[in-house]
C-alpha cells in the first residue's frame, strides 16, 4: 500500500520520510534517513522491499520512469540541432526517402526520423581519365584528359544514379574515345587538340543529360596526347617542324605588316603628286587660255604691233637659255666672233674681293685669250669664207 493511500485510521501519519511514532510538526529528517529512503525507492523499482517492509515498486517505478523519459526527451531534442555550412546544401531524408533540401544555417531535425546529408555545391571537383586510344587512321595515341565540374542539384547527385562520380568518369571515357576515334593522329597530336577538347565537351554533355546527375561541367582540359614510346622521337621531330612552320609564317606576317604601311604611304604620295601635277597642268593651261583671250582683242586692234611684240618676247625667252655668239661679217677676209656667254660666265665667276693687280692680270689674260680665240677662228674659217658673206 502507498504511503498516502487512505487507510482505516486517517489521523495516523503514514509519511515514509518520517520515522514511525514522530509527529508532523517535527523538523526535517536526517540525511542518513533521506538517503535510505531514496535507496528504498530505487530498490522498489526492481521489486525489492523497502526498509519499512512494504513494497514500493509501483510508486517509485512511475516516478523514475517519468524522470528518465524527460531526460531522454531533452537529449533527443538537443541532438537534433545541426548546422549547414555556407558552401553546403543539406539533403533531408525522412525514414530513408528524400524529403526536402535545407539552406545554410542553423536547423533542427527529429533525431532517428530524419537524416541530413550535407553536399558541397560551391567546390570545383576534378575527374581525370587517361589511356591508349585508336585514331581514325588506325594509330594508337595515349590521351590524358581532365574534366572540372560542380554540383548544382544535390538530390539528383545523390539519388539519380548509384554513383554520380563513377557515371561521369564512364561518360568522359566514352566521349573521349569516340572523338579520338573520329580524328587522325596528326590532328590529335598537333593542330586538332582544341577541336578534340571542344567535341569531347559537347559529347559529354549529351551523354550525361538523360541521367540527371545534378552536376554542371565547368571545363574540359586536354592535358597531353602522345604517341607510343617506339615512335615518340619521330613524332617529336614532326611536331617541331610544324612549330617552325608556324613561327616562319608569323615572322612573314609581321614583316608584311611592317612593310605594307610604308608601301601604302608611298602609293598615297605618288597619287598626291600626280594629282598635284595634273591640277598644275590644268591650271597652267587655263592661264594660257585666259592670257590668249586677253591678247586676242589687242591683236585684232593692232595686228602688226602685237605680232612684233610677241616675236620679241618669244625670242627673249628662247635666247635667254642659249649660248650667244657675236659675229662680225664686215672684217675683211677674217671672220671675227665674240663669245658673249663665256665672257658673261667669267665675269660672274670673278670674286668680289680681288685686288686691282689681280684684276689687271686677269683682264690681260682674258684679252689675250680672246685674241687667240679670234685668231684661231679666223684661221679656221679663212679657207671657207673666201668670197662668202657671213
Amino acid at each position: 500500500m502507498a504511503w498516502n493511500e487512505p487507510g482505516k485510521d486517517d489521523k495516523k501519519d503514514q509519511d515514509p520520510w518520517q520515522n514511525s511514532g514522530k509527529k508532523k510538526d517535527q523538523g526535517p529528517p536526517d540525511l542518513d534517513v533521506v538517503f535510505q529512503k531514496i535507496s528504498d525507492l530505487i530498490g522498489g523499482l526492481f521489486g525489492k522491499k523497502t526498509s519499512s517492509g512494504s513494497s514500493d515498486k509501483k510508486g517509485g517505478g512511475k516516478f523514475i520512469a517519468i524522470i528518465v523519459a524527460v531526460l531522454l526527451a531533452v537529449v533527443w531534442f538537443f541532438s537534433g540541432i545541426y548546422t549547414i555550412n555556407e558552401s553546403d546544401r543539406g539533403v533531408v531524408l525522412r525514414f530513408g526517402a528524400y524529403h526536402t533540401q535545407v539552406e545554410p544555417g542553423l536547423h533542427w531535425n527529429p533525431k532517428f526520423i530524419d537524416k541530413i546529408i550535407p553536399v558541397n555545391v560551391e567546390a570545383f571537383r576534378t575527374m581525370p581519365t587517361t589511356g591508349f586510344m585508336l585514331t581514325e587512321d588506325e594509330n594508337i595515341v595515349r590521351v590524358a584528359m581532365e574534366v572540372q565540374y560542380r554540383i548544382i542539384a544535390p538530390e539528383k547527385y545523390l539519388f539519380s544514379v548509384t554513383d554520380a562520380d563513377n557515371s561521369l568518369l564512364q561518360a568522359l571515357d566514352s566521349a573521349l574515345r569516340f572523338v579520338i576515334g573520329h580524328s587522325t593522329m596528326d590532328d590529335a597530336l598537333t593542330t586538332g587538340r582544341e577541336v578534340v577538347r571542344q567535341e569531347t565537351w559537347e559529347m559529354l554533355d549529351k551523354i550525361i543529360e538523360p541521367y540527371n546527375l545534378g552536376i554542371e561541367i565547368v571545363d574540359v582540359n586536354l592535358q597531353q596526347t602522345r604517341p607510343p614510346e617506339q615512335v615518340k622521337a619521330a613524332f617529336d621531330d614532326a611536331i617541331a617542324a610544324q612549330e617552325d612552320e608556324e613561327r616562319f609564317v608569323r615572322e612573314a606576317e609581321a614583316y608584311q605588316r611592317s612593310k605594307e604601311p610604308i608601301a601604302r604611304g608611298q602609293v598615297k604620295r605618288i597619287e598626291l603628286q600626280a594629282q598635284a601635277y595634273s591640277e598644275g597642268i590644268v591650271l597652267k593651261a587655263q592661264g594660257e587660255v585666259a592670257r590668249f583671250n586677253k591678247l586676242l582683242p589687242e591683236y585684232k586692234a593692232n595686228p602688226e604691233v602685237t605680232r612684233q611684240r610677241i616675236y620679241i618676247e618669244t625670242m627673249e625667252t628662247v635666247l635667254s637659255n642659249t649660248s650667244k655668239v657675236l659675229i662680225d661679217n664686215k672684217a675683211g677676209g677674217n671672220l671675227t666672233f665674240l663669245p658673249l656667254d663665256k665672257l658673261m660666265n667669267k665675269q660672274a665667276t670673278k670674286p668680289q674681293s680681288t685686288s686691282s693687280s689681280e684684276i689687271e692680270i686677269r683682264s690681260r689674260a682674258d684679252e689675250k685669250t680672246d685674241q687667240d680665240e679670234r685668231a684661231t677662228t679666223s684661221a679656221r674659217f679663212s679657207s671657207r669664207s673666201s668670197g662668202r658673206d657671213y
Side-chain angles (χ1 to χ4, degrees):
M1 167 183 308
W3 63 271
N4 57 355
E5 184 177 355
K8 296 182 180 180
D9 190 2
D10 295 336
K11 296 181 180 180
K12 186 179 181 180
D13 188 5
Q14 298 181 358
D15 189 356
W17 300 103
Q18 297 180 359
N19 294 327
S20 59
K22 295 183 179 180
K23 297 182 179 180
K24 294 182 179 181
D25 55 355
Q26 292 181 354
D30 296 335
L31 292 177
D32 295 338
V33 178
V34 174
F35 288 132
Q36 183 63 37
K37 296 297 182 181
I38 294 174
S39 178
D40 293 340
L41 287 175
I42 296 174
L45 181 63
F46 298 97
K48 296 181 180 180
K49 293 183 178 181
T50 63
S51 59
S52 60
S54 60
S55 177
D56 198 20
K57 179 180 178 181
K58 184 176 181 181
K62 184 177 180 181
F63 179 74
I64 295 300
I66 294 174
I67 294 177
V68 172
V70 171
L71 292 176
L72 291 177
V74 172
V75 172
W76 175 80
F77 177 81
F78 283 101
S79 65
I81 299 175
Y82 64 96
T83 303
I84 299 296
N85 296 330
E86 184 67 25
S87 61
D88 297 345
R89 298 295 182 271
V91 178
V92 180
L93 303 181
R94 180 159 293 176
F95 297 109
Y98 173 73
H99 177 62
T100 185
Q101 178 178 321
V102 295
E103 299 296 323
L106 187 63
H107 301 275
W108 179 85
N109 73 303
K111 196 68 174 178
F112 309 114
I113 297 177
D114 291 352
K115 181 181 178 182
I116 310 301
I117 303 177
V119 179
N120 194 325
V121 297
E122 294 184 1
F124 291 96
R125 308 187 180 195
T126 302
M127 181 67 67
T129 183
T130 183
F132 289 95
M133 302 178 186
L134 188 65
T135 60
E136 186 179 16
D137 52 357
E138 298 181 356
N139 289 312
I140 297 177
V141 294
R142 187 178 186 275
V143 183
M145 179 169 282
E146 183 180 83
V147 60
Q148 295 181 356
Y149 66 98
R150 66 185 185 92
I151 301 172
I152 58 175
E155 69 282 1
K156 295 181 180 179
Y157 174 77
L158 293 174
F159 306 117
S160 292
V161 294
T162 304
D163 188 350
D165 293 334
N166 185 55
S167 299
L168 178 62
L169 177 60
Q170 298 298 329
L172 175 61
D173 188 72
S174 177
L176 182 58
R177 291 183 181 277
F178 177 84
V179 174
I180 294 296
H182 289 78
S183 303
T184 62
M185 187 173 189
D186 291 338
D187 293 339
L189 294 177
T190 56
T191 59
R193 292 170 56 89
E194 182 62 25
V195 177
V196 171
R197 171 182 171 274
Q198 292 291 339
E199 291 182 355
T200 304
W201 193 341
E202 296 175 0
M203 181 64 64
L204 181 61
D205 287 335
K206 292 180 181 179
I207 293 176
I208 67 175
E209 182 179 2
Y211 294 96
N212 294 323
L213 300 181
I215 61 177
E216 177 186 13
I217 304 299
V218 178
D219 194 11
V220 175
N221 299 320
L222 185 59
Q223 294 181 335
Q224 64 175 359
T225 53
R226 302 188 63 83
E229 294 297 331
Q230 293 79 1
V231 294
K232 178 179 177 296
F235 274 94
D236 289 342
D237 293 339
I239 294 174
Q242 292 180 355
E243 292 177 352
D244 292 339
E245 178 186 2
E246 294 179 359
R247 180 170 57 84
F248 292 147
V249 170
R250 299 295 180 270
E251 291 177 355
E253 291 176 351
Y255 178 79
Q256 177 185 0
R257 287 192 293 268
S258 64
K259 294 297 182 180
E260 184 177 359
I262 298 176
R264 292 183 182 275
Q266 293 177 352
V267 171
K268 191 66 176 179
R269 179 175 57 83
I270 295 173
E271 290 179 353
L272 294 176
Q273 290 178 350
Q275 184 178 359
Y277 176 78
S278 174
E279 293 177 355
I281 295 298
V282 171
L283 292 176
K284 184 177 180 180
Q286 292 176 354
E288 294 292 335
V289 171
R291 187 176 65 84
F292 179 79
N293 291 334
K294 291 182 179 181
L295 187 61
L296 182 60
E298 300 294 334
Y299 178 79
K300 291 180 179 180
N302 298 305
E304 187 63 27
V305 175
T306 305
R307 187 185 297 111
Q308 189 67 23
R309 184 170 62 83
I310 293 174
Y311 173 76
I312 293 172
E313 291 177 354
T314 304
M315 292 304 295
E316 181 181 1
T317 303
V318 173
L319 294 177
S320 62
N321 297 323
T322 58
S323 299
K324 292 170 284 296
V325 178
L326 183 61
I327 301 175
D328 185 9
N329 56 358
K330 297 180 181 181
N334 295 328
L335 181 63
T336 304
F337 72 96
L338 183 63
L340 298 178
D341 54 342
K342 294 183 178 180
L343 293 176
M344 294 177 66
N345 290 336
K346 289 180 180 180
Q347 292 178 358
T349 56
K350 287 181 180 180
Q352 299 294 332
S353 62
T354 57
S355 62
S356 59
S357 60
E358 291 177 354
I359 294 174
E360 184 178 358
I361 293 172
R362 290 180 181 178
S363 299
R364 290 178 181 178
D366 293 339
E367 183 178 356
K368 186 178 180 181
T369 302
D370 293 340
Q371 291 176 359
D372 293 340
E373 289 179 356
R374 285 195 295 268
T376 303
T377 305
S378 299
R380 185 182 300 173
F381 290 99
S382 60
S383 61
R384 299 180 183 179
S385 60
S386 57
R388 292 186 181 182
D389 186 5
Y390 287 95

